[in-house]
Amino acid sequence: MSVETQKETLGFQTEVKQLLHLMIHSLYSNKEIFLRELISNASDAVDKLRFEALAKPDLLEGGAELKIRVSFDKDAKTVTLEDNGIGMSREDAVTHLGTIAKSGTADFMKHLSGDQKKDSHLIGQFGVGFYSAFIVADKVDVFSRRAGLAASEGVHWSSKGEGEFEIATVEKADRGTRIVLHLKSGEDEFADGWRLRNIIKKYSDHIALPIELPKEVAAVEGEDKPAVEWETVNRASALWTRPRTEIKDEEYQEFYKHVAHDFENPLSWSHNKVEGKLEYTSLLYVPTRAPFDLYQREASKGLKLYVQRVFVMDQAESFLPLYLRFIKGVVDSNDLSLNVSREILQKDPIIDSMKSALTKRVLDMLEKLAKNEPEQYKGFWKNFGQVMKEGPAEDFANKEKIAGLLRFASTQGDDGEQVVGLADYLARAKEGQDKIYYLTGETYAQVKNSPHLEVFRKKGIEVLLLTDRIDEWLMSYLTDFDGKSFVDVARGDLDLGNLDSEEDKKAAEEVAKSKEGLVERLKTALGDSVAEVRVSHRLTDSPAILAIGEQDLGLQMRQILEASGQKVPDSKPIFEFNPAHPLIEKLDNEQSDERFGDLSHILFDQAALAAGDSLKDPAAYVRRLNKLLVELSV
Ligand code: ADP
Ligand code: MG
């Protein structure tokens, strides 16, 4: 072995230590995936070299065929992987193999429960990668040299996967990376040609470059050991270039894990070749689970971009809108230039038309999933529903399509699960119903019992219950679906249109007339607190309710704006009362103006509480209520 210089021992980052520990203990039932992960990295490294060499052909250093070699030594109990890709410098090795360069790792660690079964799912979500080597090895040696650096600038990284790793500068003649796994005792089954071949066929057949194993050549007695002959064991062609009909589901699934750096199978995919004015192939995947960093700004998003089969960039964001940032996959274009940059992508009109076509593909794929696999779609919605709700605001052109994919809780369910689509809602709407009714609020428990729903319950009309933080904002972009407009049941002067019979309407008018005196008295008593007082059509059981003015901000939007430090215009609610309620009758008959005032303020405050709002003067409420209680008990 060559001389090692500048030898150092460095500690892993705390998170790496935790991750390593967890991985080793939770992935024991699926050990063989270590090979898939290391091959996936080697393939990425070759992609990167191929791309960088476009501008700097010298990097190819004479241009040997790009490939991955896997070998083993039964006696030494080692498995070795070697690639001639981009390689790593000393700094690269320290950062990439000693620190998790993924934002949000600390957050991720907080989610770990200590329960290994649960955590092993989480680890899948995080991606296992290089450290999976330690599932089978108790020592890992990495020898690498970055393409373009001198042979003397190789690096040797070595670790037992415990708390630290060693790093030294070594001589390395060939560019690229060699990883030597010293198998744990009991894991020597992996130092075997057949075993390795099967694992490669199973997980890495889709890798576009040759993966070679030594050919088993029988030694002839009395002769020297024959020179190693190598043989390619995978198919070695880019998966997306093959015809759809020839690709097995398992191949699509393994390819997904490679491009998405995911551990689990995807939920669905769509593979298309477009010919004509624009020529490109796309292979788009919907993941099963949301990545842990879905809501982080710096989170990885976008597709892997190839130009005529040469890898050009990871996370090309310009091909899909932000609300589809969870989609993973590959685009391979024949029309772009190989030296295309992110900046060019942002401006290129070709990209715009690809973006709208790809967006449509994704939405179609989701529609199909919703239609054919409703249970899976439920899972999809749980993971990605919140992000999909950003859609109508971002993507005006596809608003109707996106709206069709949204799912809500409703008064028809009883557990608050978001499972009702707008098409389902309309399909079972009451005869004559030409509106889509909804109510927003902070929690399901709160809206489920809202007095605003009383009349809807009585008439058997379904109301969508929207309690995600983003919902009120979403509804400001959704005005209609399938020609039917949305109506916030807590807003304005509720008009049930055809759902109220002529007699109902007439009777309501008469009641309103007979209560004009009470309305005036209430207006005087409540004064500045209200914008208006009127007889309600909304109530059957509660005495009073607060409605929001047609143009006013709802409670949720108000809270969001206030939380972000913005000044929110003060809007006053509309006080509606239920003339048939005994408390209102009592109020109507109240002779004392002081009592009338107290009672109406109590009703007002109670209505605010029922809507989930906080009281402006809680002490006054308590004082008034106690006064009444005292009077009651004497
Ligand atoms: P990921 O592949 O998701 O980035 P990994 O843990 O698998 O995460 O790998 C970490 C990093 O280590 C890679 O991003 C890469 O920078 C570096 N790396 C790993 N293997 C190789 C290799 N064979 N050649 C060059 N770099 C590598
Ligand atoms: Mg990897």
Side-chain angles (χ1 to χ4, degrees):
M1 189 184 277
S2 61
V3 201
E4 305 213 333
T5 56
Q6 292 168 273
K7 203 162 171 163
E8 272 184 280
T9 301
L10 297 171
F12 280 126
Q13 246 191 11
T14 327
E15 287 88 9
V16 179
K17 270 188 250 175
Q18 284 171 285
L19 194 64
L20 269 169
H21 180 84
L22 179 63
M23 191 154 7
I24 292 164
H25 292 92
S26 57
L27 295 180
Y28 52 84
S29 58
N30 201 10
K31 289 174 182 164
E32 59 193 26
I33 57 100
F34 78 91
L35 195 60
R36 167 185 84 196
E37 295 298 325
L38 298 180
I39 288 177
S40 170
N41 285 349
S43 157
D44 287 345
V46 165
D47 270 350
K48 280 180 206 153
L49 174 77
R50 221 186 253 133
F51 175 65
E52 285 193 21
L54 292 172
K56 290 185 243 160
D58 287 354
L59 292 181
L60 291 171
E61 301 177 21
E65 191 200 356
L66 296 167
K67 60 178 169 254
I68 302 171
R69 278 183 166 171
V70 181
S71 56
F72 57 93
D73 183 331
K74 270 191 177 19
D75 302 325
K77 294 189 182 136
T78 57
V79 172
T80 299
L81 278 99
E82 180 146 29
D83 68 65
N84 51 2
I86 193 75
M88 281 177 275
S89 67
R90 187 179 167 117
E91 290 74 32
D92 289 342
V94 172
T95 43
H96 298 319
L97 309 182
T99 359
I100 299 182
K102 288 172 184 162
S103 59
T105 311
D107 274 355
F108 166 76
M109 289 297 170
K110 276 192 224 127
H111 287 108
L112 298 180
S113 61
D115 174 342
Q116 263 165 30
K117 213 157 179 185
K118 275 194 213 140
D119 290 349
S120 65
H121 277 296
L122 280 172
I123 200 136
Q125 188 184 13
F126 189 83
V128 284
F130 170 77
Y131 298 109
S132 64
F134 290 101
I135 304 173
V136 296
D138 49 19
K139 183 173 174 221
V140 177
D141 281 309
V142 179
F143 301 90
S144 192
R145 174 165 67 78
R146 167 100 196 169
L149 292 181
S152 58
E153 292 184 74
V155 60
H156 175 197
W157 178 103
S158 177
S159 176
K160 297 195 164 135
E162 283 157 2
E164 50 196 34
F165 61 94
E166 279 175 5
I167 191 117
T169 297
V170 291
E171 179 90 13
K172 188 171 184 295
D174 306 318
R175 149 205 92 221
T177 304
R178 182 168 78 250
I179 299 179
V180 184
L181 308 175
H182 302 268
L183 298 173
K184 289 179 189 171
S185 71
E187 307 297 353
D188 18 342
E189 57 172 282
F190 292 109
D192 177 88
W194 277 108
R195 185 83 164 99
L196 291 170
R197 173 187 298 260
N198 286 335
I199 302 174
I200 293 168
K201 286 298 278 180
K202 182 166 167 195
Y203 298 106
S204 309
D205 200 41
H206 62 79
I207 293 288
L209 70 162
I211 305 170
E212 298 181 343
L213 273 176
K215 217 172 182 162
E216 305 274 346
V217 187
V220 180
E221 216 170 315
E223 281 181 26
D224 287 344
K225 226 178 159 191
V228 183
E229 278 179 58
W230 295 89
E231 137 181 73
T232 302
V233 293
N234 65 329
R235 189 190 287 262
S237 70
L239 179 109
W240 65 90
T241 60
R242 290 164 46 200
R244 249 192 318 220
T245 46
E246 285 176 17
I247 306 175
K248 286 192 280 218
D249 283 0
E250 293 75 29
E251 292 180 275
Y252 276 123
Q253 288 164 345
E254 286 310 323
F255 182 69
Y256 164 77
K257 292 176 192 167
H258 169 60
V259 283
H261 300 245
D262 196 351
F263 190 72
E264 278 182 63
N265 283 334
L267 199 57
S268 182
W269 58 85
S270 167
H271 181 191
N272 299 282
K273 195 172 184 146
V274 176
E275 276 161 343
K277 229 169 82 203
L278 286 178
E279 293 197 356
Y280 63 90
T281 302
S282 62
L283 173 50
L284 306 172
Y285 290 95
V286 183
T288 296
R289 212 175 275 272
F292 69 98
D293 55 1
L294 185 62
Y295 295 100
Q296 273 158 14
R297 258 171 199 287
E298 341 67 273
S300 68
K301 46 183 165 279
L303 304 173
K304 227 173 159 143
L305 175 64
Y306 287 76
V307 171
Q308 296 174 30
R309 265 148 312 288
V310 177
F311 167 77
V312 172
M313 73 178 77
D314 257 328
Q315 303 176 19
E317 298 170 0
S318 311
F319 293 94
L320 286 173
L322 211 55
Y323 73 95
L324 297 179
R325 59 181 174 273
F326 53 87
I327 298 293
K328 302 284 178 199
V330 171
V331 200
D332 187 347
S333 156
N334 282 345
D335 306 300
L336 293 168
S337 137
L338 275 163
N339 53 26
V340 68
S341 67
R342 262 172 226 284
E343 292 66 42
I344 294 175
L345 284 182
Q346 275 164 16
K347 289 187 220 123
D348 196 327
I350 293 183
I351 307 303
D352 275 344
S353 46
M354 284 175 75
K355 180 175 179 179
S356 50
L358 292 170
T359 303
K360 180 130 184 319
R361 287 243 183 264
V362 173
L363 297 177
D364 287 347
M365 167 165 53
L366 293 173
E367 263 172 13
K368 231 161 99 192
L369 188 70
K371 190 157 160 256
N372 303 335
E373 310 281 348
E375 276 309 308
Q376 294 203 357
Y377 193 77
K378 264 190 208 168
F380 164 78
W381 186 258
K382 271 206 186 101
N383 277 299
F384 301 107
Q386 297 277 312
V387 186
M388 289 298 292
K389 283 181 177 177
E390 298 170 13
E394 186 186 358
D395 189 355
F396 192 77
N398 289 306
K399 203 148 113 176
E400 184 84 0
K401 235 172 149 52
I402 303 165
L405 291 166
L406 301 176
R407 294 293 180 268
F408 302 99
S410 97
T411 47
Q412 296 261 336
D414 55 5
D415 52 4
E417 231 197 317
Q418 300 183 2
V419 290
V420 181
L422 295 173
D424 306 331
Y425 177 94
L426 287 177
R428 61 187 181 215
K430 286 259 141 179
E431 213 182 289
Q433 182 181 343
D434 58 355
K435 303 272 190 292
I436 302 171
Y437 295 103
Y438 71 92
L439 176 64
T440 59
E442 234 171 314
T443 62
Y444 174 70
Q446 180 201 90
V447 290
K448 171 178 87 167
N449 298 317
S450 165
H452 283 290
L453 298 174
E454 288 174 9
V455 65
F456 292 91
R457 241 186 228 117
K458 185 173 137 204
K459 292 184 183 281
I461 305 169
E462 182 172 12
V463 178
L464 302 174
L465 302 176
L466 277 52
T467 54
D468 285 335
R469 238 179 108 74
I470 189 176
D471 282 340
E472 223 176 85
W473 174 81
L474 163 71
M475 294 317 286
S476 65
Y477 288 92
L478 277 186
T479 47
D480 48 83
F481 175 75
D482 199 11
K484 312 277 190 299
S485 51
F486 286 96
V487 172
D488 178 349
V489 303
R491 191 177 281 279
D493 193 6
L494 186 68
D495 177 4
L496 289 178
N498 298 331
L499 296 168
D500 267 337
S501 64
E502 282 309 311
E503 295 96 84
D504 283 351
K505 279 184 195 165
K506 230 185 162 140
E509 259 169 49
E510 269 164 29
V511 175
K513 235 191 161 116
S514 73
K515 295 294 169 196
E516 273 169 0
L518 180 56
V519 168
E520 285 313 312
R521 251 182 115 189
L522 277 163
K523 270 187 191 164
T524 317
L526 295 173
D528 264 358
S529 323
V530 294
E532 210 189 316
V533 175
R534 65 186 174 218
V535 176
S536 184
H537 328 294
R538 291 174 159 97
L539 301 172
T540 58
D541 303 327
S542 303
I545 199 168
L546 299 180
I548 314 162
E550 204 66 69
Q551 306 302 332
D552 291 341
L553 284 177
L555 186 57
Q556 224 182 16
M557 279 289 260
R558 230 166 58 209
Q559 286 168 346
I560 292 175
L561 290 174
E562 273 165 0
S564 73
Q566 298 194 50
K567 224 176 126 65
V568 184
D570 212 19
S571 54
K572 291 176 194 163
I574 299 155
F575 182 84
E576 291 191 358
F577 63 88
N578 172 6
H581 195 280
L583 252 180
I584 299 295
E585 280 171 11
K586 210 168 165 171
L587 188 73
D588 205 6
N589 295 327
E590 181 56 62
Q591 301 303 312
S592 147
D593 277 344
E594 190 190 335
R595 263 235 178 139
F596 184 91
D598 284 346
L599 203 51
S600 30
H601 275 286
I602 287 173
L603 286 171
F604 177 90
D605 284 349
Q606 284 182 343
L609 288 173
D613 206 349
S614 53
L615 299 184
K616 288 217 169 58
D617 187 354
Y621 170 72
V622 173
R623 184 162 27 80
R624 288 192 186 108
L625 191 62
N626 286 348
K627 198 163 133 200
L628 279 182
L629 289 174
V630 169
E631 284 173 26
L632 199 70
S633 48
V634 288

